[in-house]
């Protein structure tokens, strides 16, 4: 079977990230992507011979499926590692060029930039 390719994180331009919707259970976003609490619950249930272990295993399986779906929608995931590196290099060049152009524009002093 073909090996899954690891995603390469592309640098984002200096803008605020898009807000993600809060999970309905009120769980912090970092925790919604964490498998550790589920694994911990499974281990605790196994130690106590609790019937809840099947529920927790099902929840872990569901979380794995959700994360696979999320990863498959990531931009560039279908590219080879070499193509991802090329895209990363290209994006970094674009950010560098845009920053240089912005600095040149600011140095023209045609407009007064309000300072807060």
């Amino acid at each position: 079977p073909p090996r899954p390719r690891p995603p390469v994180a592309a640098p984002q331009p200096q803008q605020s990230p898009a807000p993600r919707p809060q999970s309905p259970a009120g769980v912090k976003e970092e925790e919604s992507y964490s498998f550790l609490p589920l694994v911990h619950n499974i281990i605790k249930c196994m130690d106590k011979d609790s019937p809840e272990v099947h529920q927790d295993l099902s929840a872990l399986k569901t979380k794995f499926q959700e994360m696979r779906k999320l990863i498959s929608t990531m931009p560039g995931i279908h590219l080879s590692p070499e193509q991802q590196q090329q895209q990363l290099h290209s994006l970094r060049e674009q950010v560098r060029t845009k920053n240089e152009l912005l600095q040149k524009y600011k140095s023209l002093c045609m407009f007064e930039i309000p300072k807060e």
Side-chain angles (χ1 to χ4, degrees), residues 37-89:
L38 285 171
V39 172
H40 184 259
N41 286 345
I42 291 168
I43 292 171
K44 281 194 322 189
C45 289
M46 291 175 87
D47 286 344
K48 297 178 185 176
D49 292 330
S50 173
E52 294 175 5
V53 73
H54 295 291
Q55 268 183 316
D56 290 334
L57 284 170
S58 177
L60 182 63
K61 181 180 177 182
T62 302
K63 180 143 325 214
F64 277 134
Q65 290 171 342
E66 290 172 2
M67 292 302 112
R68 282 187 186 112
K69 226 183 273 185
L70 182 67
I71 288 171
S72 70
T73 63
M74 293 175 74
I77 196 72
H78 63 283
L79 300 174
S80 71
E82 295 80 20
Q83 290 171 320
Q84 289 177 358
Q85 286 295 333
Q86 289 174 347
Q87 186 178 21
L88 178 62
H89 179 70

Side-chain angles (χ1 to χ4, degrees), residues 72-116:
S72 70
T73 63
M74 293 175 74
I77 196 72
H78 63 283
L79 300 174
S80 71
E82 295 80 20
Q83 290 171 320
Q84 289 177 358
Q85 286 295 333
Q86 289 174 347
Q87 186 178 21
L88 178 62
H89 179 70
S90 171
L91 290 171
R92 284 185 175 153
E93 278 297 311
Q94 288 176 23
V95 168
R96 187 185 60 73
T97 303
K98 287 178 182 180
N99 282 334
E100 286 176 3
L101 290 172
L102 184 60
Q103 291 304 317
K104 286 180 184 178
Y105 179 76
K106 284 180 179 179
S107 69
L108 290 175
C109 296
M110 293 179 69
F111 302 101
E112 193 168 312
I113 300 172
K115 296 183 180 180
E116 297 181 90

